[in-house]
Every structure is written in structure tokens, then in C-alpha cells.
Amino acid sequence: MTGRAPALAGLRVLDVSTLFAGPLAATFLGDAGADVVKVEHPRRPDAARGHGPAKDGVNLWWKTLGRNKRTVTADLSQPEGADLLETLARGADVLIENFRPGTLERWGIGPDRLLAANPGLVIARVTAFGQVGPSSRRPGFGSLAEAMSGFAALTGQPDGPPTLPPFGLADGVAALATSTAILSALRARDRDGEGQVIDVAIIEPILMLLGGQITAWDQLGLVQPRTGNRSVNNAPRNVYRTRDGSWVAVSTSSQSIAERVMRLVGRADVLAEPWFASGHSRAEHADELDAAVQGWIGDRDLDEVLGEFERVEAAVAPVYDVRGVVDDPQYRAIGTVLTIDDEDLGPIRMQNVLSRMSGTPGAVRWTGRAHGADTDAVLAEVGLTPEQVAALRERGIV
């Protein structure tokens, strides 16, 4: 223990978003110590509570996505619910929402009203397509961003269809971008004394991960094709099957690693070829390089493959499912998988915080809470009496 408070201790975040990108951004802030208050509809909780597997009726994904959040209910579409949000916003630093553009304004609780109540508030608006433009009011999810960004067009085998990831990749990237933007806006507020509105379109952040494709198309007319597990930038780069039926991934992004791999697999002769001198030209000879690497790996069991690659300092990794992740000694050494007590399920395991900070470390303080579990406590903190909360509950506002 350092004796210092977590990095974001004292920061109040209102999470008024649903499903993945907005809520995950709030989770990252909560992991760093922020006081996150999750605001959900009294009768229609965040749909993420119903996604994925459940045990004894308890949703498991929510335990991770909802961690480090206090849960409150309020019907923001009703005037009294909008008033509650303004009251909460007066004492908050950040508000994250992902309603379709114009929804908060229609309810009378748009950014103008919120910033009038709290000029230092940072409002992050996370939508599929952004706040303006011809698609802005369309419904959308991360899968659409994965399609529109070009990610799906690049993913899959050359003779197969475009492929979507089996998890919320675009949402996750957008969550990271949102949390970064929020911290940037808070830094600006500390300097200038003013909050601001952040517009995050889920279709945008994933584009940055795709590298220089826009520039390559603009300058050279290049459109990157699907190449399966291969890369257009280097070779050998693929997954290869071992003799005992395991899979390993090999990457040779640097020239020195490529040379070590080919020496290891008995093809040092290719190092003298002019085309071996750059990753791009090596990729044009991927068939020959892959055949050599697969032939060598296919004659050996997993442990021998990993040991030999380690011996020559070449880059390799086993292809894990979740069982391998949980059992891997490197993940154990850096504390990637956390065991924490849950009020419904007892000890459960989940991913730990994203990074390790020596002076102000983050932490998972509790797992995802029940719908509305903290409504009374949070509303009491902003001045409502038990009688007022009971009256709001009777009218369905909370």
C-alpha cells in the first residue's frame, strides 16, 4: 500500500448510459477510484444485465461491467426524473450518456440545462454515429461500427465473407477513447475552470486501430484485402498447429525476429534472398515461409515449440481459450485475474484493472450491484428525505 488515495478518488461520475461503450468507460473510471453512480430506468434496467450467461438467475457479465458503481433508478423522461438528474449533476464532475441525439433535449435535460446547473461538468455523449449527420439518429451498436470502419472487411479468410468479432470490440475501443477524452476534458477544466461536451461516435475510434489505410488509399489507391491470419506487413505471421494438436501464434514484425525464426526452423538460406530484407516483401513470399514454419512446428509438441522459440528469443504465444488465460503463469504473475467476494455468488474471478500504478493504484472494490440498490443512499446524499424518496417511488419516478 502506498498510503495515497486512488488516482480518481473524489471524482463523481454519473453513468446514464446503457449496454457497453458508455458503461465500460464509466467502469474504467470507477476502477481508478472515481465514485460512479449508475442511473437506470426504474422498470427497464440496463440491457447489459441480461447479456451473456447467468448462474442461479444472476447475470455474470454485469458483475464485471457494473463493478465499482453504485446503482440508482430514475425515470429521466418524466419531469421529476429530469429534476433528479439535474440535482445529481450539480455535485458531479462527469456525466456519460448514450441516448440517441436529441433525447435528453426532448426530456428537457440537455447539456445546456446541465451546464447551467454545473458549469464545470464534463458531459460525454457516446452514440453509434455521433451527434450530427444523416445517420446520427439511426439506432446502432458496435457491430455496425466494426462493419463501417473497414474492420470486418479485413477480417476473415481471403475466400470467406467479412467477419465480425464475437465480442464488443468497437464498443471497447470507444470506451477507452471516451475515458481518455473525459480525462483530457477534466485536465482542461482544472486549467480553465469550464466543463464541456464530448461527442464520441463509436464508428470512429476503431478506425485509428486500422493503421494508415486511409492515407494509403488517398496516396496510392490501395485497398487492403482480407488475408486471414497473415499480415500484409510482415511474414511469417500466422497460427500454426503443433504435433499434439495445440495452436501457437508467431509474429515477425521486426527483421531480427524474422531472421531468428527462419534459422530456428532450418531455413537460414532465405535470409540471403533480397526479398527477405523487408517485412512487406517477406509478406509476398508468405506461402514459402509459412510452409517452413508449419513444417517445423508440426513435428513438435507445444512445450518444445515454446521452449525453442524462447531459447532463440523469437516471438511466439500459445492460442488460449479462457482456461489457458486463467492458468497462465504470466497472467498470474502480473495479477490479471482477480478473485473478489460477490454478495450473490461468493468468491468470483474477473479481469483486474487495466494497468498497475505504483503510487495511486486502482482496484475492484465491489462487483456489479443489484438494480437500484443504492437509490436511497445516493438521493439522501443530495438532500432528499426518506419521505420524498418514498413519494417518488410510489409515482414510479425511482
Side-chain angles (χ1 to χ4, degrees):
M1 299 295 292
T2 67
R4 296 168 64 185
L8 299 184
L11 196 76
R12 173 67 66 87
V13 177
L14 300 180
D15 177 8
V16 194
S17 56
T18 58
L19 290 173
F20 302 116
L24 187 56
T27 301
F28 294 147
L29 300 177
D31 287 353
D35 174 20
V36 180
V37 175
K38 171 77 174 179
V39 182
E40 300 173 82
H41 192 281
R43 293 166 295 282
R44 296 189 299 275
D46 188 337
R49 290 180 179 272
H51 275 245
K55 179 182 179 182
D56 299 331
V58 178
N59 181 265
L60 300 179
W61 172 219
W62 177 255
K63 291 300 181 181
T64 299
L65 184 64
R67 72 191 193 189
N68 292 332
K69 299 179 184 181
R70 298 194 287 166
T71 58
V72 171
T73 60
D75 184 351
L76 305 184
S77 68
Q78 301 301 315
E80 288 175 289
D83 291 344
L84 277 180
L85 185 61
E86 178 184 340
T87 300
L88 290 169
R90 289 180 184 276
D93 300 281
V94 177
L95 183 145
I96 303 172
E97 65 96 359
N98 70 338
F99 298 105
R100 289 196 213 177
T103 300
L104 285 184
E105 288 84 351
R106 188 173 72 251
W107 293 341
I109 193 63
D112 289 348
R113 178 178 172 184
L114 293 170
L115 288 170
N118 180 358
L121 186 66
V122 170
I123 303 171
R125 314 193 81 175
V126 186
T127 58
F129 304 106
Q131 294 294 312
V132 299
S135 297
S136 61
R137 293 179 183 268
R138 289 172 48 203
F141 301 99
S143 297
L144 276 61
E146 289 144 11
M148 286 183 64
S149 66
F151 174 86
L154 292 175
T155 306
Q157 295 302 316
D159 56 352
T163 303
L164 296 170
F167 64 98
L169 175 63
D171 284 301
V173 176
L176 289 167
T178 300
S179 59
T180 300
I182 288 169
L183 295 176
S184 299
L186 290 171
R187 175 67 180 89
R189 185 194 68 176
D190 292 344
R191 183 190 63 207
D192 304 330
E194 296 181 3
Q196 59 183 293
V197 179
I198 299 167
D199 177 7
V200 177
I202 298 174
I203 60 173
E204 286 186 303
I206 192 172
L207 278 170
M208 198 63 183
L209 298 192
L210 298 180
Q213 292 187 59
I214 292 176
T215 306
W217 175 81
D218 174 67
Q219 296 296 305
L220 300 171
L222 294 180
V223 178
Q224 184 173 329
R226 280 192 295 285
T227 56
N229 290 314
R230 289 177 171 176
S231 170
V232 297
N233 299 311
N234 67 83
R237 190 265 199 181
N238 214 323
V239 294
Y240 307 91
R241 195 167 194 178
T242 64
R243 183 170 59 189
D244 55 358
S246 299
W247 290 89
V248 296
V250 173
S251 179
T252 58
S253 293
S254 72
Q255 184 69 21
S256 62
I257 296 293
E259 293 171 2
R260 292 171 195 167
V261 169
M262 298 317 296
R263 287 193 187 100
L264 175 64
V265 302
R267 287 297 309 274
D269 60 292
V270 298
L271 275 61
E273 297 287 348
W275 53 261
F276 197 82
S278 76
H280 183 73
S281 57
R282 290 200 313 272
E284 295 174 350
H285 294 261
D287 286 344
E288 179 179 356
L289 298 176
D290 271 348
V293 175
Q294 178 59 72
W296 186 89
I297 288 176
D299 287 339
R300 291 160 176 82
D301 291 343
L302 175 64
D303 288 345
E304 182 182 357
V305 170
L306 297 179
E308 286 296 291
F309 267 75
E310 183 176 355
R311 180 181 63 80
V312 301
E313 298 184 351
V316 69
V319 176
Y320 284 150
D321 59 22
V322 66
R323 295 167 294 186
V325 172
V326 171
D327 291 339
D328 181 79
Q330 181 59 33
Y331 278 130
R332 288 202 301 268
I334 60 177
T336 302
V337 179
L338 168 78
T339 299
I340 185 170
D341 284 329
D342 175 72
E343 60 187 2
D344 298 312
L345 300 172
I348 63 173
R349 287 183 285 187
M350 64 176 60
Q351 302 94 316
N352 209 336
V353 297
L354 288 180
S355 58
R356 289 156 293 282
M357 300 175 69
S358 64
T360 57
V364 180
R365 302 184 299 280
W366 63 84
T367 59
R369 303 264 288 150
H371 179 231
D374 304 289
T375 298
D376 292 54
V378 171
L379 295 185
E381 291 173 2
V382 294
L384 273 72
T385 66
E387 292 76 18
Q388 289 174 312
V389 175
L392 289 171
R393 184 168 284 119
E394 184 176 350
R395 295 195 295 276
I397 304 301
V398 302

